[in-house]
């Protein structure tokens, strides 16, 4: 049949109406009408869309069509197929639109969803529309909040002081990529680093399991590789370097190369390290150090480590650390190439065998000691050490580096100044946003009891109405301005208390939607156990690589 004779304007609406009226693609799980236990189940999942004001873009139908083919084929093969759809609707684009127009993000979202639904239905996808979920629906985010409370109960949610990039003119926190040359990419205003108390999720607790379980899943190899790099496991040793003359202070470092401990000629603290402040009164050039720390505070991590043409630093004159292996005293420097957010925020510098340390030592005229023979440390750091041999290293002399790592770790442990250790690049997840359009974090701060969870039976903690949707001039969420919402009673002691005004990040609601699809109307649990056991795991997922 020539294409011109296919009367899509008549045929497609006819069948789309038929599918809708007959609920042709409705999936029935255990206990639901029409459930056929003799059929094997098949769960097909797409990354659910963010309903933006622009409507669908061509990338949406691309992946939905691929899985629609899979879903239809499996149905014809006799499977009980679940192919659901929903909306990942909290987050920035809608919020920015609301700030600009003054319209409530909820109303904007509702309109966008209507448009998306219309477009998707016209494309004829075989979604089970009876299971539609929306992360901004209080009946949905009630369970997102409930999950947060479970994380809190199990010690996996906590508060911590985290440095953020702060635009002094826009008065918002910025991502590293939004800071250019110490200035805000949007407005050119000055950006400073600020410490702010944020909710964190302890995902590092699962680093080892995430890594090991990659061996059990059927992912593309390049995705597994990406995941392994993201987790970034490294083995080595933690070593304590006491501060000379200060009995209760020491610098703790993590090194993957304990074999080079005898080559340490100086130590470096990140500018934000607590010891910098604590040792300031022993420091002969405190003004100089303070000025350096302040200047470093105006740079992003990216600028400090990736684009820096030259390493910079300042010595804390009068402060020295004791190298417990070589039994020598070494100077202590502050340098912004060391990040507080990575490792312990302090390093032992081995300029003979690390390129960056070598450049730094050359620039500031610090000693460079060879501890692995085979290179020429006068010309460059010697890092291709596979064939090298330990020298100038006491009990390690004559060993190969791999042997020396094992032996030095034993010595560190037996002499009691450190231990073997595993570290991950993976960081805990910053779970606070100072924004309006997100799930309120269901926690109350009581002067007497500390942080107290909102009782489960009071969930959902509904997002209150506000006059303006932007972050306040002090960098707080707009929720902080609603006094009668913020002021509350402590659920534990009934004393006066205040609510958390931060909201959750975009990925809170979208990290568990595949569970809710199994039982989307449940008001007693995030999903019924039997439904979860029946439908999960997902058999075929198509979405972002992460
Ligand atoms: Zn700005
Ligand atoms: Zn209390």
């Amino acid at each position: 049949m020539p294409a011109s004779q296919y009367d899509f304007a008549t045929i497609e609406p006819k069948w789309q109406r038929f599918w809708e009226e007959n609920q042709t693609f409705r999936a029935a799980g255990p206990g639901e009408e029409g459930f056929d236990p003799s059929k094997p189940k098949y769960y097909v999942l797409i990354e659910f869309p963010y309903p933006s004001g622009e409507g669908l873009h061509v990338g949406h139908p691309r992946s939905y069509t691929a899985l629609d083919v899979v879903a239809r084929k499996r149905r014809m093969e006799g499977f009980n197929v679940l192919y659901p759809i929903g909306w990942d609707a909290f987050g920035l684009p809608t919020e920015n639109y609301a700030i600009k127009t003054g319209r409530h993000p909820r109303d904007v979202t509702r309109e966008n969803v209507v448009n998306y639904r219309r477009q998707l239905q016209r494309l004829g996808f075989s979604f089970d529309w009876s299971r539609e979920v929306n992360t901004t629906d209080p009946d949905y985010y009630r369970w997102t909040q409930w999950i947060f409370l479970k994380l809190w109960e199990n010690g996996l949610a906590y508060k911590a002081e985290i440095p953020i990039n702060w635009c002094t003119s826009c008065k918002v926190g910025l991502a590293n990529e939004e800071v250019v040359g110490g200035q805000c990419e949007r407005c050119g205003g000055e950006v400073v680093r600020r410490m702010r108390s944020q909710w964190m999720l302890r995902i590092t607790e699962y680093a080892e399991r995430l890594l090991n379980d990659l061996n059990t899943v059927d992912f593309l190899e390049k995705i597994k590789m990406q995941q392994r790099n993201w987790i970034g496991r490294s083995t080595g040793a933690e070593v304590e370097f006491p501060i000379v003359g200060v009995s209760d202070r020491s610098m703790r470092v993590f090194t993957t190369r304990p074999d080079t401990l005898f080559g340490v000629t100086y130590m470096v603290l990140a500018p934000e390290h607590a010891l910098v402040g604590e040792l300031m009164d022993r420091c002969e050039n405190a003004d100089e150090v303070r000025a350096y720390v302040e200047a470093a505070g105006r740079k992003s991590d990216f600028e400090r480590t990736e684009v820096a043409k030259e390493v910079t630093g300042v010595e804390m004159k009068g402060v020295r650390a004791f190298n417990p292996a070589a039994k020598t005293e070494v100077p202590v420097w502050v340098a912004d190439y060391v990040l507080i957010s990575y490792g312990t925020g302090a390093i032992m510098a081995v300029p003979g065998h690390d390129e960056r340390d070598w450049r730094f030592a050359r620039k500031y005229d610090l000693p460079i000691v060879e501890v692995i023979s085979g290179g020429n440390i006068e010309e460059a750091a010697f890092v291709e050490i596979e064939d090298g041999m330990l020298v100038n290293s006491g009990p390690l002399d004559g060993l190969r580096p791999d042997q020396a790592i094992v032996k030095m770790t034993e010595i560190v442990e037996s002499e009691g100044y450190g231990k073997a250790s595993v570290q991950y690049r993976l960081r805990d997840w910053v779970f606070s946003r100072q924004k309006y359009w997100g799930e309120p974090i269901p926690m109350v701060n009581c002067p007497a009891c500390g942080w107290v969870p909102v009782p489960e039976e009071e969930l959902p903690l509904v997002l209150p109405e506000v006059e303006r949707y932007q972050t306040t001039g002090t960098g707080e969420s707009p929720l902080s301005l609603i006094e009668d919402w913020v002021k509350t009673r402590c659920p534990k002691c009934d004393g006066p208390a205040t609510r958390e005004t931060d909201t959750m990040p975009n990925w809170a609601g979208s990290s568990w939607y595949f569970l809710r699809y199994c039982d989307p109307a449940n008001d007693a649990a995030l999903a019924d156990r039997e439904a979860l056991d029946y439908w999960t795991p997902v058999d075929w997922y198509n979405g972002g690589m992460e």
Side-chain angles (χ1 to χ4, degrees), residues 113-190:
V113 163
V114 167
N115 187 40
Y116 266 63
R117 195 186 291 125
R118 182 186 63 84
Q119 290 183 311
L120 290 171
Q121 285 175 340
R122 281 188 69 185
L123 282 161
F125 291 119
S126 64
F127 293 128
D128 176 357
W129 288 95
S130 74
R131 289 173 188 261
E132 194 178 335
V133 300
N134 183 329
T135 56
T136 67
D137 179 352
D139 289 338
Y140 181 94
Y141 70 66
R142 167 187 178 187
W143 298 106
T144 310
Q145 292 173 328
W146 182 85
I147 292 168
F148 182 88
L149 294 184
K150 294 296 137 188
L151 294 170
W152 158 264
E153 281 168 22
N154 289 282
L156 295 168
Y158 65 98
K159 272 232 148 173
E161 291 279 326
I162 295 294
I164 60 166
N165 300 311
W166 176 255
C167 173
T168 51
S169 146
C170 297
K171 306 208 184 303
V172 291
L174 301 174
N176 280 338
E177 296 72 27
E178 295 173 305
V179 183
V180 181
Q183 293 182 327
C184 171
E185 192 192 31
R186 310 179 193 179
C187 76
E190 190 191 13

